[in-house]
Amino acid sequence: MSAERLSTGRALARLLPFVRPALPRLIGGIVAGLLAGLVALAIPQVLQVLVDSALQEGDSSAVLPAVLVIVGLGVFEAVAILVRRWLVLTPNTRVEASMRNALYAKLQALPVAFHDRWPSGQLLSRAVSDLNLIRRWLAFGVVLLVVNGVTVIVGAVLLFGINPLLGAVFLASALPIWIVAMRFEKRYSRAARRSQDQAGDLATAVEESVHGIRVLKAFGRGPHALRKFERQAEELYGTEMEKARAIAFIWRWLTLIPDGTLAVCLVVGAVLAAQGALTPGELVAFFATATVLRFPIESIGFLLAFTLDARNATDRYFEVLSEPVTISDPEDPENIADPRGRLEFRGTRFRYPDAAAGTPDLLDGVDLVLEPGETVALVGLTGSGKSTLTALPSRLYEVTGGAVVLDGVDVRRLRLAELRRHIAMAFEDATLFSDTVRENVLLGSEDRSEETLAEALEVAQAHFAYELPDGVETVIGEEGLSLSGGQRQRLALARAVAAKPSVLILDDPLSALDVETEELVEAALRRVLASTTALVVAHRPSTVMLADRVAVLEDGRITAVGRHSELLATNEHYRFVISSLEDDDELDDEDARDAESGERDGDRDETSRRAEVSA
Amino acid sequence: MSSVSGVTGEEREDLSRAESREIRRRSRRLLLELLRPMHGRLWLTFVVVVTATAAQVVGPALIAFGVDQGVPALADGDPVPLVLAGAGFLLSSLLGAVLIGWFRILQAKISQDVLFDLRRRVFTHTQRLSLDFHESYTSGRIISRQTSDLDSIRELLDEGIGNLISGGFYMAFTAVALVLLDAPSGLVLAVAILPLAGLVRWFQVRSQRLFRATRVTSARVIVQFVETMTGIRAVKAFRKEERNRETFGRLVEDHRAANARVFRLFGTFDPGLVLIGNLTVAAVLLVGGMRVAGGELAIGVLLAVLLYVRRFFDPMEEVAMFYNGYQSASAALEKISGVLEERPTVADPAAPVALRAARGAVRFQGVEFGYRNGKVVLPRFDLEIPAGQTIALVGSTGAGKSTLAKLLSRFYDPTAGAVLLDGVDLRELHPKDLRRAIVMVTQEAYLFSGTVAENIALGRPEATREEIVRASQAVGAHEFISRLPHGYDTDVNKRGGRVSAGQRQLLSFARAFLADPSVLILDEATASLDIPSERAVQDALQTLLADRTAVIIAHRLSTVAIADRVLVMERGRIVEDGTPADLIAGEGRFASLHAAWRDSLV
C-alpha cells in the first residue's frame, strides 16, 4: 500500500467508473429515499395543526380528515421506500457483478509472477466478501448517508420553525456528535483493517494444519501447531475487542447526546409552554419531529463504521486492480506466416524480482537453438532454473534480458493468443480443471474431432479414460472423480499433444509413471516428437532417450549440447547430474570392472542408478 | 451408531424428522456446553440489556408527564413536576447510554470467548482425528468448517443475538408502556400485530429458500475462482481465459440473480413494515384524537402513545433479519458439532506407558488390517524387526506397503493383533514417546509458512541453529538453502512456488534427521529427488540408519543396497523375506523385479 493514505472520500470515489451505469437509478433511489424521509417529517406537522386547531377546542370533526391525511402520507412513505428499494437493488447487484468480472479478468491477465506472490485465499476474500460489502454499502450506506443527512438538516430547520430556541438547543448537539464521530473513525478504521488481515492469517493457519496433517502427526507436533494457532487467535481476539470498544464508545455517546438534548428540550419546551410562548401543538410537533430524527442521528455511528469498512474493502480491491499487467499483447503485433517451430534462446536472462541483491541472474545468458522438428532434452540440477526456462517461450514469465525467438520473431512481438497457440506445455504438476475428460484434453485444440482426442489419449497411454464411469464425458477434478497422479499426468500430456502445436514443452512429463507405462508412453511419444519441435526437461536417463540432443543447464547457462552418449563420455557435470556415478575414479573403476566381468555390476549400480520397479 | 452421527449425512437433504431432531439436539448440546462457563456473565448481560432497554423506553412517558403535568404546574408556579420529568429523562438516558455501551462490550466478549473456545475445540479435535477421517472428509470441507462456518456463527453472535434481545425487549416494553398509558391504544397495537406477524412469517418462509439459493450460487462462483487461480499457468498456456470469462460471467450472473431475488423480497418486506406502522399510527391517532377532543385523554398521553407506536416498529427489521442469521449459524453449528462428534479411530491411551529411550525392536503380532467396509487389506501376519535393522519394502502399487508403514507409525490401528515397540503395544504407548521414537517421512513434503529453519525445526522444536544446519548438511540440503535470499531465514511462503519438489523433500529429510528417532519410516520419500540429491541422501542414510531401525519403501531398487533385509509384498502378504543377495540369487518375485529394473537402465 502507498505510504500516504487517500482520504476516505477519494478512496471511495474510485468506485465511480463501475457505479456510473447504475447512477441514474441510484440517484432516483436517493430522491425516493429523501421523499420518504420528508414525509416522515411531515406527519408531526399535521399533528401540530390537529392539536392546535381542533383538539384544543374539543372539536372531534377535525380528527378524521387529519387521520386521512396521515394515512395518505403513511402510504406515500411506504411507496417511496418501495420505489427506493426497487430502484437501487437490481442495478447494485449489477455493479457488484461487473466489479467481480473485472477482477477476475484482471487476475487472468496478470502475469504468473503476480500469482506467485498472492495466495489465492487473499484474492478470494477480495472477490467475494469485499465486493459483497461494497455492494451493500452502495445500496444502503450511500443512500442512507444522503437521506439521513438531509433528513436531519430539514428536521433541524423544521424544529427551528417550531421554535428557534428549541431548534438551537437541538442543533447544538451536532458539535459533540461530530467530535465523537471523528474519534471513532480513527479508532475503528485502524482495528478494522488489522482484523481483516489477522483473520486471513488465521485462515492460513487452519489451511496449513489440515494440508500438513500428515507431517504434524508423524512428528507429533499437533500441540506445537495448536500453540501457534492459539497465539494468532488471541491476537484476533484482541483486535476484535478493540473494535467492540470503539463501537461501544460511539453507541454510548450517540445514545446519550440525542437523549440528553431531548431532556433539555423538554425542560425548555415546558417552560416556554408554561409562559405561553409555545402552543401544545407545537410542543407535540417538536417531540414527534425529534423522535423521527432519532434514528437518522443514531445511525451515524453505524454508517461511519460501514463506510470505513467499505473503504478498506475498496482499498483491498484496487490493490489488485491497479497492479500493472506487465505481460500483454504488443501494440503492433507481428505474425508468423509460416510456422515451422524454430525456437531460439538468444542470450536469455532471467531473475526473480525478489532475488537477493548481488546474486547472479538465475538464467545468465542462455543460448540454445531448437531446429524445426528437433527434440532437445534439458538437464540440470534441482533449482538450476530448468522449469523457469521452459516458462519463458510462452511468456508465462518475461525475460529480463536477451530474447526468446520463435520462427524468427521475438515472442514479445507476437499476440499472446497466437504465441500460445504455437507452443503447448505439460507442467510438472498436472493441472486439470473440473470438467469432462474431453474438455480437459481438447482445451488447447482448434481441431476438436474425435480422432484428435483418440490420438492424444493413445500417445499418452491414457486409455483408462474410456473406462471411466461416463467415458471421456466423465467430469474430473474438484467436484468430480479424482484420478491418481499418474493418470493426471497422462491426461496433461495428452492435452499438450492434442493442441498440435509447432513447439511442445514438456516439464518432466513422465515422473509419476511406473517403468512399464513409461516405456509405452515413450514409444508413442516418439512418433509425435519426430515431426514436432520439443523441449523436454529430463531427470532420468530414460527421458533423455527421447531427445535428439541434450542441453546441460549449469550456473544459468547452457554449458554443453550434444548427444547423450557424447556428453556422458565428455562432460563431467552431465555425468554428475544424470548418470549418478560418484566421480571419475569410480567411473574408471567401474569401466574396468565392467570390462572384466559383465556379471558383477548389479550391486554397485543399485546403490546409485535410478530406476523404478514396475507395478 | 445412528444414521447421522458424526459427519455422516452431512450432505444429505432427505433427513427424516427424527434425524434432524437428533442433529439439532446435538448442536444445542454443543451450544450449551460453550455457554456454560460464562453462565454468570450471561445473566449479567441479560440484566444489563433489559435495564438499558427499559431506561430507553421510559423517555416518551416522561415527555407525556412533562407536557401534561409539568407545563400546567409550572404555569401555576410549581417547577417540581417539570424538574422531575427533565431530571428523570436525563437520568434515564444517561443510564441507558452507559448500560448500552457496557452491553456492547459484554456481548463482544462473550461472542469472542465462544468463538475462541469453538475455534480451539475444532482445531484440536481436527488434529486428533485419525488419518482415515481426513482421507474421506476432504480438506476443503474441514477448512470451511473452521472458516466460513465459524464466520456465520460470529455474525450471529456479534450482531444477531444482541439485536434480537434488545429489539425484542424494546418491543415488549414499548407495548407494556403503551398499555399502561392508554389501554385502547394498546388494543389498536394488538390488532396491528396480526398483519405484522403474517408479513414476518411470509418473509421468513420465502427468504429461507432464497438465501439458501444464494449460498449455492456463491459456492459455485468460489469454486470456479479458486480453480482458475490455482491453475493459472495452465489457464494461460492453453488460452482458457476467454472461456473462463464466459463461465465465470455466467456463474456471477446466476449469483447476482439469486441475490437480486433476495433483495426484491426485502424491497417488499421493508415498505410493508413501514406501511403497517404508519397505518397503526393513524389508527391510534383516530382512536386517541377522538378522545382528546372529547376531553377523555390528555394531549401529552396522545403524544407519548404516538411516539411509542412509531418506535415499536423500529427493531422489526432487525428481528426478522435475526432469523436468517440464525438459520445459517445453526446450520453451521450443526456441521461443526458433527465434526466434534467424530471419534478418532486411533485414540490416545487411557493409561499411557512411558518409554523414554526406545531401542527400536518392532514386532507385528497376529496383525490384521481392513477398512470399515470389511475389505481386508492386510490378512493376518507376524513380523519381527530386530532393533537396528534396515528393511526395504518392495512390491507393486496397492500391495499394502504403505498400509504396513502406517500401522507402524500408528496412523492406523490394526483391526486385530498388535504392533509392539520394545515389547509395548503402540496403542498403550504415551503419544509423546511414540512420536519421538517413530517418525515417518512421506512423498508429499509439506512446508508450513515460516522460515526454512522453522520448517526443519519442526522435527525437534528445541533444536539450536547449529543442529539445524548440521542436519541440513547431513542430507545435502545446506547448499541450496545457503543460496536462498536469506539463507535459513528465508520465508518459504514468499518463495513457496519456487522451492522445487525435490528441495522440499530434502527439507523434510532434514526434519526427520533432526528428530533423531529410533525407528525411521521412509515412504517413497526420494521420489522427486534428482540423482545427485538422491545420492547425498543415500550417503546420509548410511550413517543415519547405522544404529536405528528403518523401513524404506521405494520404487527405485537402488535403495535395496543399504537394506539388511528385503520384504516383498503382494496383495497384502509378505511373499519373500531375505537378504538382498539371497533374494537376487533366487528365482522369486524379487529376482524378476530386479532383472526388469536392470533392463530399464540400458
Side-chain angles (χ1 to χ4, degrees):
Chain A
M1 274 211 47
S2 66
E4 62 183 296
R5 227 167 119 85
L6 291 172
S7 75
T8 300
R10 272 286 179 76
L12 287 167
R14 285 179 294 176
L15 295 172
L16 216 56
F18 291 102
V19 176
R20 194 154 288 138
L23 217 47
R25 295 186 68 161
L26 197 60
I27 291 170
I30 289 175
V31 170
L34 279 176
L35 287 177
L38 296 181
V39 166
L41 283 174
I43 292 176
Q45 304 292 316
V46 177
L47 286 179
Q48 182 192 346
V49 173
L50 177 65
V51 170
D52 280 347
S53 68
L55 296 184
Q56 289 287 0
E57 286 102 48
D59 174 13
S60 65
S61 67
V63 174
L64 196 63
V67 167
L68 286 179
V69 170
I70 285 184
V71 167
L73 288 173
V75 172
F76 184 83
E77 185 190 5
V79 170
I81 290 179
L82 186 81
V83 169
R84 184 198 98 201
R85 287 263 188 181
W86 285 69
L87 273 179
V88 165
L89 292 173
T90 319
N92 266 328
T93 61
R94 291 219 159 81
V95 171
E96 182 191 16
S98 75
M99 287 180 74
R100 193 166 279 149
N101 282 325
L103 181 66
Y104 185 76
K106 176 80 183 189
L107 285 170
Q108 286 201 117
L110 281 168
V112 175
F114 170 87
H115 291 272
D116 288 347
R117 278 202 329 269
W118 285 73
S120 67
Q122 283 289 347
L123 300 177
L124 182 66
S125 66
R126 283 163 172 77
V128 180
S129 22
D130 287 343
L131 285 183
N132 192 3
L133 185 79
I134 292 173
R135 191 246 312 134
R136 277 188 293 142
W137 182 75
L138 285 172
F140 299 101
V142 172
V143 174
L144 289 184
L145 221 50
V146 175
V147 171
N148 289 355
V150 173
T151 305
V152 170
I153 293 170
V154 172
V157 170
L158 284 176
L159 292 179
F160 257 107
I162 294 168
N163 183 284
L165 183 60
L166 282 180
V169 170
F170 190 85
L171 208 61
S173 70
L175 185 69
I177 287 179
W178 179 256
I179 293 170
V180 165
M182 284 304 105
R183 279 195 48 193
F184 170 74
E185 162 167 15
K186 223 184 244 162
R187 280 174 71 172
Y188 185 81
S189 59
R190 255 193 327 235
R193 174 75 203 227
R194 195 161 63 238
S195 112
Q196 275 168 338
D197 292 342
Q198 284 172 342
D201 290 344
L202 199 64
T204 310
V206 165
E207 233 177 284
E208 292 189 340
S209 78
V210 173
H211 286 139
I213 184 92
R214 283 176 189 77
V215 175
L216 292 176
K217 273 189 182 297
F219 290 92
R221 293 287 171 257
H224 185 76
L226 177 65
R227 272 196 300 281
K228 191 173 163 193
F229 175 78
E230 275 179 340
R231 214 164 41 238
Q232 286 178 319
E234 270 161 20
E235 278 168 18
L236 179 63
Y237 185 110
T239 312
E240 287 292 327
M241 285 311 296
E242 210 174 300
K243 266 168 71 181
R245 276 191 294 274
I247 287 177
F249 161 81
I250 195 162
W251 265 89
R252 202 184 298 129
W253 287 107
L254 286 186
T255 308
L256 183 61
I257 296 169
D259 273 356
T261 311
L262 230 50
V264 173
C265 288
L266 177 62
V267 173
V268 174
V271 170
L272 290 174
Q275 292 168 346
L278 199 68
T279 66
E282 283 168 344
L283 199 57
V284 168
F286 179 83
F287 283 107
T289 307
T291 303
V292 171
L293 295 184
R294 204 185 133 97
F295 172 69
I297 293 175
E298 250 183 28
S299 71
I300 290 173
F302 147 78
L303 286 175
L304 257 181
F306 198 4
T307 304
L308 292 173
D309 285 341
R311 185 254 149 93
N312 279 338
T314 308
D315 281 350
R316 284 159 55 87
Y317 178 80
F318 280 99
E319 241 168 54
V320 172
L321 213 65
S322 57
E323 277 283 330
V325 175
T326 48
I327 299 180
S328 56
D329 286 338
E331 265 169 34
D332 48 341
E334 290 179 33
N335 287 313
I336 295 179
D338 173 26
R340 295 166 56 242
R342 185 179 188 279
L343 183 65
E344 183 182 355
F345 293 91
R346 207 179 273 168
T348 307
R349 312 175 73 88
F350 183 81
R351 74 181 289 124
Y352 284 105
D354 61 351
T359 53
D361 288 357
L362 178 64
L363 298 177
D364 200 11
V366 169
D367 290 299
L368 180 66
V369 179
L370 284 78
E371 295 298 338
E374 189 186 34
T375 299
V376 172
L378 189 62
V379 171
L381 283 175
T382 296
S384 60
K386 301 187 297 291
S387 294
T388 307
L389 186 67
T390 60
L392 295 177
S394 48
R395 291 183 76 199
L396 292 182
Y397 292 104
E398 192 87 290
V399 297
T400 47
V404 181
V405 180
L406 179 65
D407 288 328
V409 184
D410 187 325
V411 292
R412 284 169 292 190
R413 308 282 315 132
L414 291 166
R415 287 194 313 110
L416 286 171
E418 184 183 355
L419 172 67
R420 291 170 184 168
R421 199 164 52 239
H422 292 308
I423 300 175
M425 305 181 69
F427 301 93
E428 204 174 356
D429 53 337
T431 310
L432 298 178
F433 297 100
S434 45
D435 208 333
T436 61
V437 170
R438 176 194 300 277
E439 284 305 319
N440 265 291
V441 173
L442 295 180
L443 185 60
S445 321
E446 318 270 274
D447 168 15
R448 304 180 47 84
S449 69
E450 207 62 43
E451 293 77 57
T452 312
L453 178 68
E455 223 176 275
L457 290 174
E458 162 73 23
V459 169
Q461 295 294 304
H463 306 110
F464 67 86
Y466 293 105
E467 271 122 53
L468 294 174
D470 298 316
V472 290
E473 312 305 335
T474 308
V475 174
I476 50 175
E478 184 82 32
E479 283 173 296
L481 191 83
S482 58
L483 301 172
S484 76
Q487 288 174 323
R488 300 174 70 86
Q489 202 170 40
R490 277 178 279 168
L491 287 186
L493 179 62
R495 179 171 62 196
V497 169
K500 296 185 179 160
S502 48
V503 176
L504 199 53
I505 293 181
L506 309 175
D507 191 352
D508 203 13
L510 312 173
S511 64
L513 306 185
D514 58 58
V515 173
E516 280 163 13
T517 314
E518 187 186 350
E519 262 173 37
L520 294 172
V521 175
E522 278 169 7
L525 199 52
R526 275 207 177 87
R527 289 202 310 269
V528 178
L529 295 185
S531 56
T532 311
T533 313
L535 183 63
V536 184
V537 173
H539 277 131
R540 3 173 179 176
S542 50
T543 317
V544 170
M545 299 307 182
L546 285 171
D548 303 308
R549 286 189 303 157
V550 183
V552 181
L553 184 63
E554 186 187 0
D555 295 333
R557 290 161 185 265
I558 301 292
T559 51
V561 180
R563 305 185 68 85
H564 173 62
S565 51
E566 290 166 25
L567 289 176
L568 211 50
T570 58
N571 189 299
E572 195 182 322
H573 184 70
Y574 184 67
R575 222 159 35 228
F576 174 71
V577 173
I578 203 95
S579 93
S580 81
L581 296 174
E582 311 243 331
D583 52 44
D584 285 347
D585 290 351
E586 286 193 32
L587 180 73
D588 294 341
D589 283 359
E590 184 91 3
D591 286 345
R593 254 186 293 132
D594 276 0
E596 279 171 34
S597 149
E599 306 284 332
R600 285 198 53 227
D601 56 350
D603 287 2
R604 274 210 58 81
D605 277 7
E606 278 149 25
T607 53
S608 43
R609 212 163 268 180
R610 323 160 54 121
E612 278 191 350
V613 175
S614 75
Chain B
M1 207 156 93
S2 93
S3 52
V4 289
S5 66
V7 297
T8 30
E10 191 180 273
E11 307 274 296
R12 263 172 57 198
E13 298 205 339
D14 59 334
L15 292 173
S16 74
R17 214 162 253 212
E19 285 170 330
S20 13
R21 214 171 23 243
E22 190 185 325
I23 292 180
R24 273 204 304 275
R25 200 176 304 134
R26 176 180 78 194
S27 78
R28 205 161 44 230
R29 212 166 38 233
L30 172 63
L31 187 65
L32 288 178
E33 241 176 78
L34 290 166
L35 293 177
R36 193 165 304 134
M38 43 196 81
H39 188 223
R41 267 195 288 151
L42 279 174
W43 278 110
L44 175 63
T45 313
F46 187 75
V47 170
V48 168
V49 70
V50 170
T51 320
T53 313
Q56 284 186 293
V57 170
V58 172
L62 289 170
I63 293 178
F65 180 77
V67 171
D68 288 342
Q69 315 287 325
V71 175
L74 191 66
D76 296 343
D78 174 15
V80 175
L82 180 63
V83 170
L84 278 181
F89 201 125
L90 205 59
L91 210 66
S92 73
S93 64
L94 188 66
L95 185 69
V98 169
L99 289 179
I100 270 196
W102 192 17
F103 164 68
R104 286 273 152 187
I105 290 176
L106 282 171
Q107 177 190 252
K109 197 139 170 43
I110 288 176
S111 142
Q112 290 299 319
D113 281 340
V114 167
L115 283 172
F116 187 81
D117 189 6
L118 196 55
R119 275 201 181 103
R120 203 177 169 283
R121 278 176 193 236
V122 182
F123 188 91
T124 317
H125 194 74
T126 307
Q127 289 296 316
R128 273 179 56 213
L129 284 173
S130 322
L131 225 51
D132 58 344
F133 173 82
H134 285 279
E135 276 159 6
S136 62
Y137 196 76
T138 55
S139 57
R141 277 157 81 197
I142 193 77
I143 292 169
S144 68
R145 288 299 87 80
Q146 298 186 66
T147 51
S148 58
D149 281 356
L150 271 167
D151 276 347
S152 57
I153 293 174
R154 179 180 57 80
E155 269 164 39
L156 182 72
L157 289 172
D158 272 3
E159 284 148 31
I161 290 183
N163 285 345
L164 179 74
I165 296 176
S166 64
F169 274 100
Y170 198 89
M171 290 174 71
F173 284 157
T174 309
V176 169
L178 194 60
V179 171
L180 287 179
L181 269 176
D182 183 44
S185 301
L187 202 66
V188 172
L189 186 68
V191 172
I193 285 176
L194 284 176
L196 187 67
L199 182 68
V200 169
R201 183 79 202 129
W202 169 83
F203 174 75
Q204 284 174 345
V205 171
R206 301 292 284 300
S207 67
Q208 196 181 338
R209 203 162 41 81
L210 294 180
F211 266 108
R212 207 172 282 156
T214 63
R215 280 199 286 274
V216 172
T217 52
S218 124
R220 290 195 188 125
V221 169
I222 290 173
V223 166
Q224 170 73 18
F225 187 90
V226 170
E227 191 177 271
T228 305
M229 296 317 144
T230 47
I232 190 75
R233 284 159 200 261
V235 166
K236 285 174 176 291
F238 290 96
R239 314 178 305 282
K240 200 171 185 283
E241 294 99 329
E242 194 55 49
R243 271 165 289 170
N244 270 346
R245 259 204 308 276
E246 277 162 30
T247 312
F248 190 73
R250 209 172 49 241
L251 294 175
V252 165
E253 173 57 25
D254 286 349
H255 181 49
R256 187 201 68 75
N259 263 340
R261 274 192 292 276
V262 170
F263 303 144
R264 271 201 284 278
L265 194 65
F266 270 106
T268 314
F269 175 67
D270 202 26
L273 279 182
V274 171
L275 185 63
I276 293 176
N278 284 345
L279 291 181
T280 312
V281 167
V284 167
L285 181 67
L286 181 63
V287 172
M290 297 304 272
R291 283 179 305 140
V292 171
E296 299 157 48
L297 194 69
I299 287 178
V301 174
L302 177 64
L303 171 62
V305 164
L306 289 173
L307 297 186
Y308 276 130
V309 171
R310 183 147 183 115
R311 282 175 165 205
F312 179 82
F313 291 89
D314 279 350
M316 249 347 273
E317 196 173 342
E318 282 161 9
V319 174
M321 276 298 289
F322 167 79
Y323 189 75
N324 291 305
Y326 175 75
Q327 287 281 331
S328 75
S330 65
L333 199 63
E334 280 169 8
K335 287 182 178 161
I336 289 175
S337 67
V339 170
L340 290 177
E341 201 182 49
E342 284 286 326
R343 292 276 75 88
T345 51
V346 176
D348 286 347
V353 176
L355 183 68
R356 297 302 302 168
R359 286 182 304 114
V362 173
R363 197 161 82 208
F364 289 79
Q365 195 175 318
V367 166
E368 198 179 288
F369 182 78
Y371 288 120
R372 273 187 199 171
N373 58 19
K375 198 180 139 209
V376 175
V377 183
L378 298 179
R380 192 186 158 85
F381 74 102
D382 291 287
L383 174 66
E384 181 115 29
I385 307 175
Q389 193 173 59
T390 299
I391 301 251
L393 208 51
V394 174
S396 51
T397 320
K401 299 176 308 235
S402 291
T403 310
L404 194 146
K406 282 174 181 160
L407 288 174
L408 178 53
S409 54
R410 207 172 172 232
F411 277 13
Y412 298 155
D413 275 339
T415 36
V419 184
L420 309 174
L421 175 68
D422 290 350
V424 184
D425 191 329
L426 294 188
R427 279 171 296 204
E428 284 158 19
L429 204 54
H430 194 288
K432 256 190 170 155
D433 292 335
L434 168 73
R435 295 301 166 203
R436 187 164 46 228
I438 303 179
V439 160
M440 176 150 100
V441 182
T442 58
Q443 180 170 11
E444 41 124 29
Y446 190 80
L447 294 187
F448 295 86
S449 58
T451 65
V452 170
E454 280 165 5
N455 265 287
I456 297 173
L458 208 66
R460 186 149 51 90
E462 67 277 10
T464 64
R465 172 56 61 94
E466 199 182 311
E467 288 168 320
I468 292 172
V469 172
R470 226 178 7 248
S472 314
Q473 279 165 339
V475 300
H478 179 72
E479 204 186 322
F480 95 81
I481 296 173
S482 314
R483 281 201 309 266
L484 293 175
H486 305 287
Y488 284 84
D489 297 314
T490 307
D491 192 324
V492 290
N493 253 14
K494 298 237 164 78
R495 293 181 50 98
R498 271 175 268 140
V499 175
S500 73
Q503 289 168 337
R504 276 204 297 272
Q505 274 193 344
L506 284 181
L507 291 181
S508 72
F509 258 111
R511 210 183 255 166
F513 194 93
L514 194 64
D516 191 27
S518 27
V519 180
L520 182 63
I521 306 164
L522 305 177
D523 188 357
E524 289 289 348
T526 54
S528 309
L529 296 185
D530 62 16
I531 290 172
S533 306
E534 194 194 9
R535 189 161 54 215
V537 166
Q538 294 223 338
D539 285 348
L541 284 179
Q542 296 272 17
T543 16
L544 180 68
L545 300 185
D547 53 351
R548 68 189 85 223
T549 314
V551 174
I552 304 176
I553 302 173
H555 273 154
R556 297 177 191 158
L557 288 193
S558 46
T559 326
V560 174
I562 55 170
D564 305 313
R565 179 178 169 196
V566 175
L567 298 177
V568 183
M569 291 190 74
E570 223 168 88
R571 268 175 253 119
R573 291 175 192 282
I574 298 171
V575 294
E576 283 173 44
D577 180 353
T579 64
D582 287 352
L583 290 183
I584 291 168
E587 286 176 359
R589 176 85 175 119
F590 187 70
S592 64
L593 280 175
H594 189 260
W597 166 71
R598 286 255 312 271
D599 290 346
S600 80
L601 283 182
V602 185

